[in-house]
Amino acid sequence: MKIIFKIAKNELRNLFYSPVAWFLVIALLVQCAIFYTSVVHQLALYQDTLSGNLPPIYKFLERDTSNTRRVFLGGDSIFNSVMQNLYLFIPLLTMGLLGREINNGTIKLLYSSPIKLRAIVLGKYLAMVIYNLALIGVVGIFVLLGVFNIKSIDIGLVLSAELGFFLMICAYAAIGLFMSSLTTYQVVAGIGTFLFIFIFGRIGALWQRYDFVRDLTWFLSMNGRVSRMAVGLITTRDVFYFLIIIAMFVSFTLFKLKGEKDVKPWPVKAARYITILVVCVLLGYISSRPRLVGYWDTTANKVNTIDVKIQKMLKQMGKEPLEVTLYTNLLGAHAGPGFPEGRNPYLDVLWDQYLRFKPDIIFKYVYYYDNDGRSDDKQLYKTFPHKTEKQIAGIVAKLSGQDLSMFMGPDEIRKIIDPYAERAQLFIAVKYRDRVAHLRTFDDPEFWPDQRHVAVAFKQLLTRSNTKVFYLTGNLERDIYITGERGYEWHSTAQRERGALVNTGFSLDTGSIENHDIPADINELVIADPKTELSATTLGKLQQYINKGGNMLILGEPGKQVILNPLLKPLGVQLRNGTLVEVSKMETPDKVVPYKTDAWDDLADTRDVRQLKEARKDKIFIDSNVIRINTMAGATAIAYAANGPFKITPLLHTMPQRDWLKAGRLVTDSVPPVFRPQEGDIKDSSFVTMVQLTRQLNKKQQRIMVCGDADFLSNHGGDGSTTNVFYSWLDYCRYPVYIEPLDTHDNKMTISAPMAAFQRIFFVWILPGALVLLAAILLIRRKRK
């Protein structure tokens, strides 16, 4: 052991008596200083300038802002901009580790000495590990600065990132050591090290369509290993990977030196390498099995860990199997991520976080092609005229690099599932016992379903429940299946919209009740802007539904108050005659901006609502942008009785003394309207545009909402987050499942802008200059000796 340390000490002396090692340390210091101090100065200047001018409510709104991530993981940060380029440093140091001994002739002395080859190899590698610690120590200077510059810094996140990059450059050093043993030309050894690092960074994308080698190449890939640690998630799989790579290349180096010393046939020498390779791959495979992987989320607010609600659901499933099947349509949109080469990224990005708590999840894959069932999509036949569906599938498979034989035909897949229930697009079926729930992919950069959707699917599997919403039709109401301006599709049935009701736990249906009864199993009924008079039969059935305690969402429009008022009158609510007017330079006068009342805070228990409640409780001034919601285009006011059968509470209202209720027709494409009381215009202190009605009936609270605008939820005017709140409250907040990050505590800087500016000068100019001077003195003294 002493010999190993002596060799390491001698190697370190040689490193620091050369300008290369000093140059790399100083270059790293300057890079880190530039990126760290720039971000810190920017944040400190922002805080000093705006903290005294922003309303106090912003202290709540910034709770999800982590300065630790901004400084160390942001776009121009140390870990993102500097550490990922460390692979450029290591080959410059390792290329001469053994080649220098050969060129100087000292390798023969080492061979003839009583020192074992193992000690030589380990000693030289230990020297590189210590130098790597010096490089990480340079970064550690700025981690220590962060402790003093950032209030409540997320130290676990930063240390995890440092560990990841340390293991990475140690693996690079092992590769470089091996390459230096293969050639006496240092430049060749350096280029070879770059080449190996490049291969290990890209090998994970090679041959992914072949089952036999997919897991092997994915395991060997370094890509993504450090990224998990960089965000604060340490796994035994990643740690063992780097240790295995290090052990493999250090062993290769030892076998190379032994091979030069021993006279043995090449098959014996080759067998050594093959044995080590097989053992390392086997150890890597075993250590990456889900049941054997350990996880440590080092972040302060556990951002890398699935929500506690989902953890409880997975625990509730016990040891019973959870089967996850990915259905990929060759002719569907966005099929690429579902192909075999996308299988490992799919598991890594989407399911690894759930395997942590339920490692026995079974994954299956079904590939098919089907396009003829889509009456609305004949583009493929226009692109490939005079071709059959199978011929088109063959062409698309060839263009995609896939084997058509692995795809089921339309007749075969339709015996298993109905592809057009999911619009023949990529989706995931999750099966637990005899129940199946679907997870969809979306037209946004994230693509895969997030925790909210998975939580909804798991809850449906465990409880056999969802919220059933019935939309009344038959009187030209808003349609949940059209995408036009009046349509309601985007917030309701749009499967490719992440926040749509069908993706957050709601089951939707439509129908007329003129000749049919209202379904008995629904949870809420929606009447959205009927344009023709409701018949006596329809009114009678609706009144009967209300009398039984049914929950409803009722939306009206100006000019059609007379249609809904007969239904609303027994409830103690009426839509007032006229149209609300709000004169603005930016919008037409029919567009009114509604604001939330205190009662809005009780609709859902979300973090935003809790922050708003806390602000109101502390009597903090709340910026209008925080409590306003989407503009209502063409709205009427609501009048209600205080002594009716329901407790009626306003949810939305207009700004006091700004709007008025115009009688008669409102012209929006001419000069701004003028308030004319002689014509029946009314100006109150404020107008209510939405109310909630509650009462105790049949041992439960009956809930009804009435809104004076139906465009509020339309495709062009809807707000997905707000819409879900309405539907959720009407069904006692069963769905959606709210998944929210915890508040961060590192959202303030403890350094002023002037001090940050001085800090930048010191670490960018003064400290590197002092190190340059120190290095010059040492090198000059060394040369004189």
Side-chain angles (χ1 to χ4, degrees):
M1 201 61 163
K2 291 182 179 180
I3 297 297
I4 294 175
F5 283 109
K6 285 184 178 180
I7 294 174
K9 182 179 178 181
N10 184 66
E11 193 63 38
L12 284 171
R13 185 183 297 113
N14 290 334
L15 278 175
F16 282 100
Y17 281 148
S18 70
V20 176
W22 284 102
F23 170 77
L24 294 180
V25 169
I26 295 171
L28 179 63
L29 175 63
V30 172
Q31 289 183 65
C32 289
I34 290 173
F35 287 105
Y36 175 85
T37 57
S38 297
V39 177
V40 167
H41 180 262
Q42 183 181 6
L43 292 175
L45 183 62
Y46 172 85
Q47 181 172 286
D48 289 354
T49 305
L50 299 180
S51 60
N53 300 317
L54 289 177
I57 183 63
Y58 280 87
K59 78 176 184 178
F60 297 104
L61 302 182
E62 292 186 350
R63 286 182 176 180
D64 57 351
T65 302
S66 169
N67 282 337
T68 306
R69 291 179 176 273
R70 284 180 172 181
V71 172
F72 291 98
L73 296 175
D76 292 327
S77 63
I78 291 179
F79 293 142
N80 197 42
S81 302
V82 178
M83 297 296 284
Q84 65 180 356
N85 295 321
L86 278 180
Y87 74 93
L88 298 172
F89 290 45
I90 304 304
L92 298 177
L93 296 167
T94 60
M95 62 185 185
L97 282 176
L98 291 171
R100 184 172 57 247
E101 304 287 354
I102 298 173
N103 289 333
N104 294 338
T106 54
I107 191 69
K108 294 181 180 180
L109 295 176
L110 290 173
Y111 284 162
S112 61
S113 68
I115 301 175
K116 295 182 179 179
L117 290 177
R118 181 174 63 253
I120 297 172
V121 173
L122 293 178
K124 288 184 173 292
Y125 182 71
L126 178 60
M128 285 305 306
V129 171
I130 295 173
Y131 184 82
N132 290 341
L133 281 173
L135 295 179
I136 295 299
V138 170
V139 182
I141 294 173
F142 299 95
V143 172
L144 184 61
L145 272 179
V147 173
F148 295 101
N149 294 162
I150 303 172
K151 183 180 180 180
S152 304
I153 185 175
D154 193 345
I155 192 67
L157 168 66
V158 181
L159 294 180
S160 172
E162 283 218 86
L163 173 63
F165 285 110
F166 174 68
L167 290 174
M168 181 183 70
I169 59 178
C170 284
Y172 290 167
I175 295 172
L177 178 65
F178 174 62
M179 294 307 301
S180 71
S181 71
L182 297 179
T183 177
T184 59
Y185 298 100
Q186 296 187 20
V187 174
V188 175
I191 294 174
T193 304
F194 279 123
L195 181 61
F196 260 87
I197 292 173
F198 175 80
I199 291 173
F200 274 93
R202 298 292 184 272
I203 195 172
L206 299 178
W207 308 302
Q208 287 296 293
R209 69 186 60 172
Y210 305 110
D211 293 338
F212 179 72
V213 295
R214 180 186 301 114
D215 289 339
L216 175 61
T217 56
W218 185 258
F219 160 73
L220 291 174
S221 175
M222 283 189 184
N223 190 28
R225 302 282 181 177
V226 178
S227 60
R228 276 187 290 267
M229 293 190 192
V231 296
L233 181 63
I234 299 175
T235 68
T236 55
R237 175 179 54 211
D238 293 333
V239 173
F240 280 132
Y241 167 81
F242 285 113
L243 295 179
I244 288 169
I245 292 296
I246 291 169
M248 183 171 69
F249 279 97
V250 170
S251 300
F252 285 171
T253 306
L254 181 60
F255 291 155
K256 176 62 174 63
L257 297 181
K258 278 188 175 182
E260 293 179 352
K261 193 175 181 181
D262 298 341
V263 181
K264 291 185 178 180
W266 70 265
V268 176
K269 295 180 181 180
R272 293 173 176 174
Y273 292 97
I274 294 173
T275 301
I276 285 294
L277 180 62
V278 171
V279 169
C280 288
V281 170
L282 183 61
L283 288 175
Y285 176 81
I286 294 173
S287 64
S288 62
R289 294 305 87 197
R291 293 180 182 275
L292 301 178
V293 177
Y295 297 81
W296 182 18
D297 187 352
T298 63
T299 58
N301 54 348
K302 305 304 177 187
V303 297
N304 302 304
T305 304
I306 58 176
D307 192 84
V308 176
K309 299 173 186 175
I310 305 179
Q311 294 180 37
K312 291 179 179 178
M313 293 179 195
L314 291 172
K315 185 176 181 180
Q316 190 176 344
M317 291 180 183
K319 296 183 178 180
E320 295 189 61
L322 180 67
E323 186 178 292
V324 177
T325 305
L326 179 65
Y327 288 91
T328 304
N329 182 11
L330 176 65
L331 303 181
H334 310 294
F339 290 153
E341 51 264 48
R343 191 174 296 182
N344 278 317
Y346 156 73
L347 295 174
D348 190 53
V349 172
L350 178 56
W351 290 109
D352 187 65
Q353 55 191 331
Y354 304 101
L355 285 168
R356 174 181 175 184
F357 296 95
K358 189 171 177 57
D360 58 350
I361 299 177
I362 302 169
F363 295 97
K364 295 183 178 181
Y365 306 88
V366 175
Y367 302 98
Y368 70 96
Y369 66 88
D370 194 349
N371 186 72
D372 284 350
R374 287 190 288 186
S375 59
D376 61 335
D377 188 1
K378 300 301 180 183
Q379 184 61 42
L380 281 175
Y381 293 102
K382 296 177 182 178
T383 305
F384 304 101
H386 312 300
K387 298 289 185 182
T388 65
E389 185 180 36
K390 186 171 183 179
Q391 289 172 330
I392 294 174
I395 295 171
V396 174
K398 185 176 181 180
L399 292 173
S400 305
Q402 306 300 319
D403 183 1
L404 183 61
S405 62
M406 74 177 190
F407 292 88
M408 297 181 184
D411 295 336
E412 191 175 357
I413 189 62
R414 291 178 193 178
K415 295 177 182 177
I416 303 173
I417 60 168
D418 176 11
Y420 299 100
E422 297 296 334
R423 300 190 178 183
Q425 296 183 355
L426 186 74
F427 77 96
I428 303 164
V430 184
K431 183 178 180 181
Y432 175 71
R433 295 178 178 171
D434 59 339
R435 311 160 208 166
V436 178
H438 287 184
L439 292 169
R440 300 179 178 95
T441 54
F442 304 103
D443 294 329
D444 56 31
E446 191 174 349
F447 187 71
W448 297 110
D450 57 34
Q451 287 192 46
R452 293 174 299 164
H453 307 103
V454 176
V456 165
F458 287 171
K459 185 174 181 178
Q460 290 174 334
L461 293 174
L462 289 168
T463 63
R464 297 179 182 267
S465 69
N466 56 22
T467 296
K468 297 181 180 180
V469 184
F470 184 78
Y471 292 82
L472 188 67
T473 63
N475 295 91
L476 303 179
E477 292 89 349
R478 301 300 177 99
D479 195 329
I480 63 173
Y481 297 109
I482 64 173
T483 57
E485 185 176 354
R486 278 178 46 84
Y488 273 21
E489 183 189 37
W490 288 358
H491 86 263
S492 57
T493 60
Q495 294 181 345
R496 305 293 286 186
E497 289 293 324
R498 190 171 292 274
L501 295 177
V502 291
N503 295 317
T504 53
F506 296 85
S507 174
L508 313 180
D509 196 7
T510 63
S512 170
I513 59 173
E514 183 67 26
N515 299 312
H516 300 85
D517 292 333
I518 297 175
D521 61 344
I522 65 171
N523 302 104
E524 50 197 79
L525 187 148
V526 180
I527 306 175
D529 186 24
K531 295 297 184 185
T532 60
E533 184 178 357
L534 302 176
S535 69
T537 301
T538 298
L539 280 173
K541 291 180 179 180
L542 290 174
Q543 190 62 56
Q544 186 180 17
Y545 174 79
I546 294 172
N547 293 338
K548 289 182 178 180
N551 297 341
M552 298 181 68
L553 174 60
I554 305 171
L555 304 107
E557 279 282 307
K560 298 295 180 181
Q561 294 94 326
V562 67
I563 297 176
L564 288 175
N565 278 341
L567 176 66
L568 297 174
K569 186 176 182 180
L571 309 181
V573 177
Q574 289 284 275
L575 300 178
R576 299 174 68 174
N577 291 325
T579 304
L580 285 171
V581 175
E582 183 173 306
V583 177
S584 167
K585 293 182 180 180
M586 306 302 294
E587 296 286 358
T588 54
D590 62 324
K591 293 183 173 62
V592 178
V593 178
Y595 294 84
K596 304 171 186 175
T597 65
D598 292 0
W600 182 278
D601 303 347
D602 296 321
L603 293 180
D605 185 24
T606 64
R607 186 177 63 163
D608 292 341
V609 169
R610 290 193 296 271
Q611 290 176 358
L612 196 56
K613 280 184 178 180
E614 189 175 344
R616 293 187 197 273
K617 182 179 179 181
D618 294 343
K619 298 183 179 180
I620 291 174
F621 169 76
I622 302 173
D623 189 286
S624 62
N625 289 324
V626 178
I627 59 172
R628 62 175 289 179
I629 56 177
N630 277 10
T631 301
M632 287 183 167
T636 187
I638 296 175
Y640 58 91
N643 56 354
F646 288 87
K647 177 185 177 182
I648 303 176
T649 309
L651 293 176
L652 297 174
H653 65 90
T654 62
M655 185 65 73
Q657 303 301 327
R658 189 170 69 180
D659 306 323
W660 74 86
L661 190 63
K662 180 172 180 56
R665 180 172 176 267
L666 173 64
V667 179
T668 61
D669 58 350
S670 184
V671 296
V674 178
F675 176 65
R676 300 180 187 277
Q678 67 275 15
E679 295 180 3
D681 294 356
I682 301 173
K683 179 176 282 189
D684 289 345
S685 59
S686 178
F687 292 95
V688 174
T689 59
M690 189 171 191
V691 295
Q692 67 175 11
L693 291 74
T694 58
R695 68 174 176 180
Q696 289 299 127
L697 187 66
N698 299 330
K699 298 182 179 180
K700 72 170 186 177
Q701 185 184 66
Q702 184 179 11
R703 298 180 173 185
I704 298 175
M705 282 183 169
V706 181
C707 184
D709 178 38
D711 293 323
F712 177 57
L713 300 183
S714 69
N715 294 330
H716 289 193
D719 179 351
S721 59
T722 302
T723 302
N724 282 350
V725 168
F726 300 154
Y727 290 95
S728 177
W729 180 79
L730 288 171
D731 192 35
Y732 313 101
C733 301
R734 288 198 305 157
Y735 290 99
V737 180
Y738 291 106
I739 304 295
E740 299 174 319
L742 299 175
D743 292 340
T744 59
H745 301 284
D746 57 340
N747 53 5
K748 293 192 179 300
M749 304 298 293
T750 57
I751 186 173
S752 64
M755 190 62 190
F758 170 77
Q759 189 173 264
R760 182 173 188 176
I761 294 172
F762 179 81
F763 284 100
V764 174
W765 298 104
I766 298 177
L767 183 58
L771 285 178
V772 169
L773 182 62
L774 176 62
I777 293 172
L778 287 175
L779 293 174
I780 292 171
R781 291 184 61 185
R782 170 68 174 173
K783 188 174 182 180
R784 287 177 177 176
K785 290 182 178 181

